[in-house]
Each structure stands twice: as C-alpha cells, then as structure tokens.
Amino acid sequence: MAKYDMSPIEVPPVETKYRSIKTPLPVPESLPMFESLANSEPQAMAGMPPMVWQSARGFSVEDPFGNRWIDWSSGVLVTNAGHGHPKIKAALLEQIESDLLASYVFVHKKRAELTGALQKLGPRPDSDKVFLLSTGSEATECCIKLARTYGLNKHGAHKKIFVSFNNAFHGRTMGAQLAGGLPGLKTWMGPDLDLNFVQAPFPDGYKNPDTSFELFLSSLAEQGVEPNEICGVMSESYQGGGPDFLPVEYAKQLQDFCRRHDALLIMDEVQSGFGRTGKMFCYELYGMEPDLVACGKGISSSLPLSAVIGRKDVMDLYPPGSMTSTHSASPLCVAAALASLEAIQDEGLVENAAELEKLLMPALYDLQQKHPRRIGAVTGKGLVAGLQMVHPGGKEPDPKTALAINLACFHKGLLMFAPVGPGGECVKIAPPLCITEEALTESIEVLREAVEEVLGA
C-alpha cells in the first residue's frame, strides 16, 4: 500500500477553470484531523493522498481550505454519474421527506422499479432476476454461493470447484478473497485454504503474454481439476490493477467451455459496470452472455448498493426468506440508484465515455512512446485506464515511481486514488463519466507534466 509523507510542503500555486491549489500540501491545518483518525481507526484506512474532502460536484473535489482538484478517482469508480448529481440529490431528499429510510426485505415501490430497471439491462432482459445487496463483496459472495449450490443440486457433490484468475480482486470478505487471485490477501487464512477454489492465469497479454485458451485448460489439468467438477468460473470483466481486459476470442472460448460443462459463467462488473468502459457493462465488449453478473460501485453513483443479475433458475435456488440481506434494497440507496441510472442514460454518459476514449488513450500511448523503458504497459477502455510503471527496461513493477507520479499530479490539482496493481505499479485513471472534453484535455496535460517531472522530459 502506498504511504504518503504527512509533512506539509510548499507547492506551486495553481489557478485554472477546473483546478485551484492555494496552500502547502498536505494542508497544515488538516493535520490534527489526520492525527485524530490515526488514534481512532485502523491504519489500514490511511492509504489515500492526504487531503480532506469537503464537497464534490461533477468531476471536481474541494477541501475546506480553498483547494480544488479534477477528480480522476470517482471515489473508487463509484460516482459514474458525477459527484453530487442534482437528480440523485433530489431523489434522496424526496425519499427522506417520505419518512421511509429502512425496510429490511419488506416491499416498497422503488425496490420493484429498480429490480425491473436492472433486469432490462441484464444479459436476458425478459427472464433475468435481480437480488439487491449492499457491497460488491456481498455480490461476489452471493455468486459463489449460487454457483456451488447449482453444482451440488443439479449434478452432485463432485461439482464443487470454483475457478477464478490470478491477480483477481473480488472483495474483502473471506469467500471473495478465497476466489481472488492475490496470494498476499489470503495469508491471514493460514496454510489450509479451501482447495475447491482454484485460479488460472489471466490472459492480459503483458504480465502474462500467453493469451491462448489452451493455457486455461492446461492450468486446470496441472491442478488436477476435471472440467465436469467445475461449478462456476468468475472473472472480473477487466482486472482493476491494469486495467487488464480479456481478449475477445478468449472470452468467447471461456463462455463455450462453461456451456459445454454446465458451469456458471460469472462476470464481476463491480468496478466496470454502468458505463465505465463505453458500454453499460464491460462484458458487452466481448459479446458474452454471462449466467450471473455481480454489480456495485457505479450502480448508485453515491450510496452503498450492489446487485446480482442472473438466470431465473439460478436466482430461484433458495426458498423465501433464506437468501436475504439486512439492508437489501434500502430505500435511500435504491432512490439514488434509480436517479443515477436515469442520469447515465438521459445524459448519454455511456456514449461520452466511449467518445472520450478517443482522446484519452492516444495521449497515454504517446506518453508510453516517450518513456518506453519506464511505462511498461498502457491499457484502457472508455474512461478507465492505467499506466503500469516498471524499472528500466524490464517488467518488474516500480511502485515508487507510480507513487511519485501520483503525488506530482496531486500537487498540481489532479486527484487519483493511490497506485494499484499486484505490485502497486499502476497509475489508475477513472474520472466521473460526466467529465468534459475540455477538462479531460487539461487533466491529460497535468499528467504529462507530472510524468516528465518524475521521469525527465
């Protein structure tokens, strides 16, 4: 995890249409708040650039001290419709005035509206069902549970192997991390992991140059897994640490494999859904029809909500009252999600993401061409992208350089969350989908300045 120096330093002032930096960073007056938090919450929460969020609108974030950043974080790919969207604010105020703030799984009108809206967006608009939850981890855990139950009920106890991919991140809870592909996140579980969770190499084409589907098959064979034992295969539609995408042909072969062996195909769209890649869902880029889709983050552009969208026969495996969540379809979260979906669709934000990709990606490729020994890979679709920083001339991750670029951008009024990736090497780009061409152009120029300061012109 990145570690930011908390000693305030003088930075050059910035004043543009979209950015304003007026103080040393971190702001000296903010340090007591950071110290208070260090005393009252775990240090695991102290991993982001050292600034205090006071307000956020559209693609801008402000602190209480007069500083303003262009946001390239979207929270953490949450605020797809933009921060503080007027429609979302109005929907929340209306819901608060209605005096209905909690409902458990008792029915309320907007719950039916949202499940219907998500059903229409899913792989099978006429027959999918939708289960609302609170977090992305809950959604992926639910998919694991449904896949294991499906295999057991339909085929018997032997069909219990759950396949995912190396370097995958599916959440913070135990099942999600068992399915994940980052060994460092599993050490707390001890040496006796559930051997029914297996991983295959992810065909990103860079960290793993072999993008053939034969590698998937041979990897399973080497681990002693027979195809008829597999109950489900789950993949992030793109792996967040790149972002790394599936090759289209590989994705189609993966779907064919799951169909042949009656294993559920599960796409984790928690990070990639709701327009981020220039499609409503990233799996559309591959021409796939997954059995289950895990959603979260950008579903509401604000409050905690997640969902599983999937085949009716799978979603109905559990009887009434046996698969619920305390805050499932919380009225406030549902109101926010309905308003967010309306904003994303009515304002053409999916299309905006696809269009601005044409501006963003060539600029990033140009940076890589200027620094080919330090920027190992550039990947992206729509309004999500990343620069993977490496030590000179190889592929060894260089987290220090990634952090230096991240910090230089922060000092100039461009905000990103801390570098990501298996080695902390990725400078991640994820602005709200409402960002304008003018603001994105300015952002790219800030990134270019930061890269040149750190790596040399």
Side-chain angles (χ1 to χ4, degrees):
M1 173 62 72
K3 188 171 183 178
Y4 294 89
D5 190 341
M6 296 303 295
S7 303
I9 63 170
E10 296 287 340
V11 297
V14 174
E15 194 64 51
T16 75
K17 182 177 179 180
Y18 300 111
R19 295 175 291 136
S20 183
I21 301 297
K22 301 177 178 180
T23 68
L25 294 175
V27 179
E29 291 84 354
S30 73
L31 295 183
M33 187 180 302
F34 286 102
E35 292 167 2
S36 174
L37 283 168
N39 287 327
S40 62
E41 70 179 13
Q43 64 176 348
M45 288 290 289
M48 291 298 115
M51 51 86 67
V52 177
W53 287 44
Q54 172 83 353
S55 63
R57 291 180 295 276
F59 50 83
S60 294
V61 176
E62 299 180 19
D63 72 5
F65 310 104
N67 299 311
R68 179 165 55 114
W69 288 262
I70 297 174
D71 180 29
W72 266 15
S73 77
S74 298
V76 57
L77 297 106
V78 169
T79 54
N80 286 13
H83 293 284
H85 194 285
K87 287 185 177 180
I88 296 174
K89 289 170 64 177
L92 288 172
L93 289 170
E94 180 184 351
Q95 189 61 44
I96 289 169
E97 290 298 323
S98 78
D99 294 329
L100 180 64
L101 302 185
S103 59
Y104 181 46
V105 292
F106 292 99
V107 171
H108 62 92
K109 180 182 176 183
K110 286 181 178 162
R111 171 175 148 198
E113 291 176 6
L114 181 58
T115 55
L118 293 173
Q119 181 185 51
K120 289 182 174 64
L121 295 176
R124 292 156 295 271
D126 297 326
S127 61
D128 279 335
K129 289 198 170 185
V130 179
F131 179 33
L132 298 174
L133 297 144
S134 300
T135 69
S137 296
E138 269 193 295
T140 56
E141 289 253 5
C142 179
C143 290
I144 295 167
K145 178 178 180 178
L146 289 171
R148 295 286 291 268
T149 304
Y150 178 81
L152 175 67
N153 288 5
K154 188 171 181 182
H155 296 280
H158 72 281
K159 200 167 183 68
K160 60 185 178 180
I161 302 296
F162 193 89
V163 180
S164 53
F165 290 88
N166 294 342
N167 295 327
F169 180 80
H170 294 295
R172 296 288 184 191
T173 52
M174 188 170 190
Q177 293 196 338
L178 278 170
L182 295 164
L185 297 183
K186 305 183 189 188
T187 54
W188 64 275
M189 301 180 207
D192 301 319
L193 297 178
D194 187 338
L195 299 181
N196 294 313
F197 287 87
V198 301
Q199 283 78 49
F202 188 84
D204 64 277
Y206 176 67
K207 292 184 282 287
N208 169 31
D210 187 349
T211 61
S212 71
F213 194 69
E214 286 301 316
L215 182 61
F216 178 84
L217 298 175
S218 63
S219 174
L220 294 180
E222 288 169 6
Q223 296 177 77
V225 175
E226 296 290 339
N228 67 354
E229 297 176 312
I230 299 171
C231 63
V233 179
M234 180 162 66
S235 176
E236 293 163 281
S237 291
Y238 67 73
Q239 289 198 335
D244 294 319
F245 294 82
L246 290 163
V248 172
E249 184 57 32
Y250 184 104
K252 291 178 178 177
Q253 289 177 296
L254 179 62
Q255 178 167 284
D256 290 344
F257 173 88
C258 290
R259 297 287 183 266
R260 284 197 309 275
H261 300 289
D262 199 21
L264 297 187
L265 175 63
I266 304 161
M267 299 308 289
D268 178 349
E269 290 270 350
V270 171
Q271 185 176 131
S272 57
F274 303 98
R276 177 58 56 183
T277 63
K279 295 287 187 182
M280 184 58 76
F281 291 113
C282 181
Y283 68 75
E284 297 173 45
L285 294 171
Y286 309 130
M288 301 176 88
E289 188 180 288
D291 299 301
L292 297 174
V293 181
C295 306
K297 294 190 183 291
I299 191 172
S300 70
S301 295
S302 54
L303 301 188
L305 187 71
S306 64
V308 177
I309 308 172
R311 276 171 36 189
K312 179 166 57 176
D313 63 314
V314 178
M315 300 295 284
D316 280 339
L317 282 169
Y318 281 86
S322 62
M323 192 174 73
T324 61
S325 178
T326 299
H327 295 288
S328 176
S330 169
L332 282 171
C333 300
V334 166
L338 284 167
S340 180
L341 282 176
E342 182 181 340
I344 287 170
Q345 293 172 317
D346 290 354
E347 296 170 19
L349 298 186
V350 180
E351 294 79 7
N352 190 54
E355 188 63 26
L356 291 183
E357 177 188 332
K358 300 173 186 176
L359 171 63
L360 177 62
M361 294 311 298
L364 299 183
Y365 291 135
D366 182 62
L367 272 178
Q368 185 186 30
Q369 287 178 353
K370 291 179 179 176
H371 304 280
R373 290 172 54 80
R374 304 304 307 278
I375 303 176
V378 168
T379 53
K381 295 283 186 184
L383 282 173
V384 62
L387 306 177
Q388 297 186 46
M389 309 308 300
V390 296
H391 288 283
K395 290 187 179 182
E396 182 186 354
D398 186 355
K400 288 185 178 179
T401 296
L403 181 60
I405 293 169
N406 175 283
L407 192 60
C409 287
F410 172 62
H411 290 164
K412 295 173 181 293
L414 179 60
L415 182 65
M416 292 174 275
F417 46 75
V420 297
E425 75 277 15
C426 179
V427 178
K428 188 75 169 283
I429 298 164
L433 306 187
C434 61
I435 195 169
T436 63
E437 181 176 341
E438 181 181 45
L440 185 61
T441 298
E442 182 174 320
S443 310
I444 292 167
E445 183 55 35
V446 175
L447 175 65
R448 183 177 292 112
E449 290 175 8
V451 169
E452 289 179 353
E453 283 181 14
V454 173
L455 300 182

